[in-house]
Amino acid sequence: MSEKPLVLVTGITGFLGSHVANQLLAAGYKVRGTLRSKAKGEKVYDAVLPAGVDKSKLELFEIDLLDPVSKWESAVKGCTYIQHIASPFQIENANVDEQFFIKPAVEGTLNVLKATLTEPLVKRVVLTSSTVAVSGGRESEYDVYSNGKKVQDGHAFNENDWTNVDKVKGYQKSKTLAEKAAWNFIEENKKPFELATVNPSYIMGPYLLPNVGASGYFSKALLNREYPALPGYMYMQYVDVRDVALCHVRAMEVPEAAGHRHIANAGTGSISAYAQLIHKEFAPQGYNPPTANIPYFVLRLASWFDSNMVTAARLYNKDITYDTSGTESRLGVKWRPIDTSILALTYSMIECGYIKKTPGFKPRKDLGTLRSRAKGANVFDKVVPFAVDQSNLVLFEIEFLDPPTKWETAIRGCPYIHHIAPPFLIDTAGETDDFFIKPAVEGTLNVLKACLSEPLLKRVVLTSSTVAMTSGREGEFDIYSRGKKLNQTDLSDLKDKTVNGNEKSKTLAEQAAWKFIEDNNNPFELATVNPALIFGPYLLPNVGSGGYFTRFYSIESIPRFLG
């Protein structure tokens, strides 16, 4: 298989840029990431490189959006694809000169595109735009709500819609003008390469780098109780950063994506619902987020004194519907639930120190499952290393075939899952195939389905087996005779043996896991470990198939052969 090409990712230290780079590297691409200062370099490598990917696959290039085209030519040299993501954004922008946004957004985009003309290898540029380039300045077409209930349907904005730049300013204007400049550039230069855009709504989800920007504004304001009450009936449209990153990768790869805008939006929610979610999750941990709603007349009055309340007053009781069917059909994406993304964002902000930890914020613990807590004392004695406090281990009583709802409780708060549990017997003669297959396959899927509900989850490691790789393929095995390895010419009379229940179960369970990840658009990372027959010392007196041969050929078994 040929090596995947080099991709330029601008703004690799940003919230979205780091995730796009991470997914590209995980997919086997080489990445050149741009950043304004290489002083952040080591943190980028640590956060962005997926486990097992060599550091040589990622290179960093120091450059600014407004640096001359000649420098950008060096940045794009040798790249087959460009992911142009870098653009300034802050939510508290009422008093900021709009050129703070417009100049780097428009000129930076054109600098990258002009430089790209000099690189013959480039096939496609994917530009990060925004839904604010789709629906801004068109409030009369929005959905209308009253006390949390929709009373009037508005227009469902799609990829053919554009923001009215005469009625917006700052960030909204910058994204609209930058995207229009990109499409005009492609037309004026007779389509020298392909262009696709991704237009996300308000991006949520976990940070890879502690470079917390505007996405964390509401969570920070809530947990720090910066306001005593909220513009509760202001509505926001959200999408998970991992889904937006996937859109970027697919918009780069899928042939049909060229020439299209791709709206990325998982749904909508009120600020009141956001606050209730944060309160439910974090109040028991010592935070005191507000949940009271500001009456509209108070909001209008506050907007005269607080620039951050201007937008809230203008959009009070108004919502926006986006038609994402084009994105979903072309790119094959599915959206994570909004609540999952909000919690993932907030937890990662606490963990990276952007929001102060309370004394009640509970540190992560290793959690192990078992079918009966009656074995618990032995587990603590044998599994917890010397000098490690036993409070670092939590035991959870559960069965393979318990429903995903119970497994959701088991995995809650876990960033990593090791799923090792399915049954194994070396002597399968007395058991039906279903004895192995049902708990292996259904148990694995129960765990994975539950994992979808945990915003902190990064990776699942599944214990599979070499029998999932070699069973039923005896015609391809090495052959020995009297201790001597025979060659392939001695295979002609061999016939395949019937694959037993254990072998089927491991194969089907692993295949089900990989398929689940693919069907759900890579909601988290998956890796498998496929061991042969495992030997070594036991920690617990739960001797399984690893000891079969030692037990079978022990002194006690000799009478079976003599009598």
Side-chain angles (χ1 to χ4, degrees):
M1 187 175 67
S2 60
E3 189 177 56
K4 290 189 176 182
L6 178 63
V7 183
L8 180 72
V9 177
T10 70
I12 195 171
T13 60
F15 184 27
L16 176 58
S18 59
H19 276 274
V20 172
N22 175 265
Q23 291 195 20
L24 287 168
L25 289 162
Y29 291 95
K30 293 178 288 184
V31 170
R32 178 182 295 151
T34 73
L35 69 176
R36 282 179 291 177
S37 171
K38 277 191 176 179
K40 302 176 182 178
E42 282 308 310
K43 288 182 179 179
V44 175
Y45 282 107
D46 291 343
V48 172
L49 273 174
V53 174
D54 193 87
K55 193 174 181 179
S56 65
K57 296 288 186 181
L58 172 62
E59 59 177 287
L60 301 178
F61 192 98
E62 189 173 310
I63 195 168
D64 190 89
L65 285 172
L66 297 178
D67 280 343
V69 174
S70 57
K71 188 171 182 180
W72 278 101
E73 288 175 2
S74 299
V76 304
K77 190 173 182 60
C79 295
T80 304
Y81 300 103
I82 311 291
Q83 296 273 358
H84 181 45
I85 301 166
S87 189
F89 174 46
Q90 65 181 54
I91 202 165
E92 301 165 278
N93 64 4
N95 298 318
V96 177
D97 188 315
E98 66 179 13
Q99 287 302 314
F100 170 84
F101 302 97
I102 294 172
K103 186 178 175 66
V106 177
E107 291 187 23
T109 296
L110 290 175
N111 285 344
V112 173
L113 294 177
K114 289 173 184 176
T116 302
L117 287 177
T118 67
E119 179 46 69
L121 290 176
V122 173
K123 295 180 179 179
R124 184 178 297 178
V125 173
V126 178
L127 171 69
T128 306
S129 185
S130 170
T131 53
V132 302
V134 174
S135 58
R138 297 173 62 173
E139 282 88 344
S140 63
E141 300 174 66
Y142 295 174
D143 302 328
V144 178
Y145 279 74
S146 177
N147 294 321
K149 294 183 179 180
K150 186 188 287 189
V151 295
Q152 180 181 316
D153 286 324
H155 172 60
F157 290 87
N158 59 58
E159 66 179 271
N160 297 313
D161 288 302
W162 283 93
T163 285
N164 183 344
V165 292
D166 295 328
K167 294 187 177 181
V168 296
K169 59 183 180 179
Y171 179 70
Q172 291 183 320
K173 184 180 284 189
S174 77
K175 297 303 285 187
T176 309
L177 294 176
E179 187 184 346
K180 283 189 171 183
W183 288 114
N184 289 338
F185 181 92
I186 293 296
E187 284 299 319
E188 291 167 2
N189 287 275
K190 298 180 180 179
K191 300 182 179 178
F193 40 80
E194 295 173 333
L195 176 67
T197 71
V198 179
N199 299 61
S201 56
Y202 200 60
I203 303 177
M204 296 277 149
Y207 286 95
L208 292 180
L209 284 160
N211 185 17
V212 178
S215 290
Y217 173 79
F218 289 109
S219 288
K220 172 176 167 286
L222 287 167
L223 291 188
N224 290 342
R225 203 174 176 87
E226 294 176 7
Y227 300 102
L230 307 158
Y233 292 122
M234 175 184 171
Y235 289 82
M236 297 288 292
Q237 298 74 43
Y238 306 107
V239 65
D240 194 283
V241 66
R242 293 162 290 188
D243 296 334
V244 181
L246 180 62
C247 285
H248 279 72
V249 176
R250 297 269 175 88
M252 183 186 86
E253 294 178 327
V254 175
E256 296 78 15
H260 287 283
R261 307 168 80 202
H262 299 89
I263 297 174
N265 179 59
T268 190
S270 67
I271 298 300
S272 177
Y274 192 123
Q276 293 292 342
L277 174 68
I278 294 296
H279 187 275
K280 180 180 178 181
E281 184 74 15
F282 293 100
Q285 300 184 48
Y287 294 94
N288 186 28
T291 56
N293 291 329
I294 303 173
Y296 179 67
F297 76 91
V298 175
L299 193 62
R300 288 286 297 173
L301 181 63
S303 68
W304 288 90
F305 305 99
D306 186 341
S307 61
N308 296 321
M309 292 297 174
V310 174
T311 301
R314 191 178 78 250
L315 297 180
Y316 195 83
N317 270 331
K318 292 183 178 179
D319 191 14
I320 308 173
T321 296
Y322 292 108
D323 178 0
T324 59
S325 59
T327 304
E328 292 160 12
S329 61
R330 276 191 298 273
L331 306 186
V333 294
K334 298 178 182 177
W335 313 110
R336 285 173 172 79
I338 296 170
D339 288 3
T340 297
S341 305
I342 292 172
L343 291 178
L345 171 88
T346 310
Y347 269 108
S348 67
M349 290 177 70
I350 297 171
E351 288 164 356
C352 74
Y354 194 66
I355 297 173
K356 187 177 180 181
K357 292 180 181 178
T358 62
F361 184 77
K362 297 177 182 178
R364 306 284 180 81
K365 296 182 177 183
D366 292 325
L367 185 145
T369 69
L370 70 175
R371 282 179 287 178
S372 171
R373 279 195 175 169
K375 303 176 182 178
N378 284 340
V379 174
F380 281 108
D381 290 343
K382 299 296 184 181
V383 173
V384 178
F386 177 72
V388 173
D389 195 290
Q390 287 196 353
S391 65
N392 285 317
L393 174 64
V394 179
L395 299 181
F396 192 96
E397 189 173 314
I398 196 168
E399 281 274 359
F400 301 127
L401 298 177
D402 280 342
T405 50
K406 187 170 181 181
W407 279 102
E408 287 175 7
T409 306
I411 69 169
R412 188 165 185 78
C414 297
Y416 301 101
I417 309 290
H418 281 272
H419 181 49
I420 303 168
F424 174 48
L425 294 175
I426 202 163
D427 181 3
T428 63
E431 302 293 347
T432 64
D433 286 357
D434 204 46
F435 170 83
F436 299 95
I437 294 172
K438 187 177 176 67
V441 176
E442 291 188 23
T444 297
L445 290 175
N446 284 344
V447 172
L448 295 176
K449 288 173 184 175
C451 288
L452 291 176
S453 69
E454 178 46 62
L456 297 175
L457 186 68
K458 296 179 180 178
R459 180 176 298 179
V460 173
V461 178
L462 171 68
T463 304
S464 185
S465 170
T466 52
V467 303
M469 307 167 78
T470 60
S471 297
R473 299 176 62 176
E474 284 81 353
E476 301 172 60
F477 291 0
D478 299 327
I479 305 299
Y480 283 76
S481 176
R482 298 181 181 181
K484 181 183 177 182
K485 186 175 181 179
L486 305 182
N487 59 41
Q488 289 290 87
T489 61
D490 297 299
L491 292 173
S492 56
D493 292 332
L494 294 178
K495 296 181 180 179
D496 288 342
K497 298 177 181 178
T498 303
V499 179
N500 65 39
N502 175 62
E503 293 168 336
K504 287 179 182 176
S505 75
K506 300 302 284 189
T507 307
L508 292 172
E510 184 179 349
Q511 288 178 342
W514 288 115
K515 186 175 186 300
F516 181 91
I517 294 295
E518 189 68 26
D519 290 347
N520 287 275
N521 296 317
N522 301 304
F524 40 80
E525 296 174 342
L526 175 67
T528 69
V529 179
N530 297 62
L533 190 61
I534 303 174
F535 284 83
Y538 285 94
L539 290 180
L540 287 161
N542 184 17
V543 178
S545 298
Y548 173 81
F549 290 106
T550 301
R551 181 167 49 86
F552 188 86
Y553 291 111
S554 65
I555 294 296
E556 288 81 1
S557 68
I558 290 177
R560 281 186 288 177
F561 298 98
L562 298 180

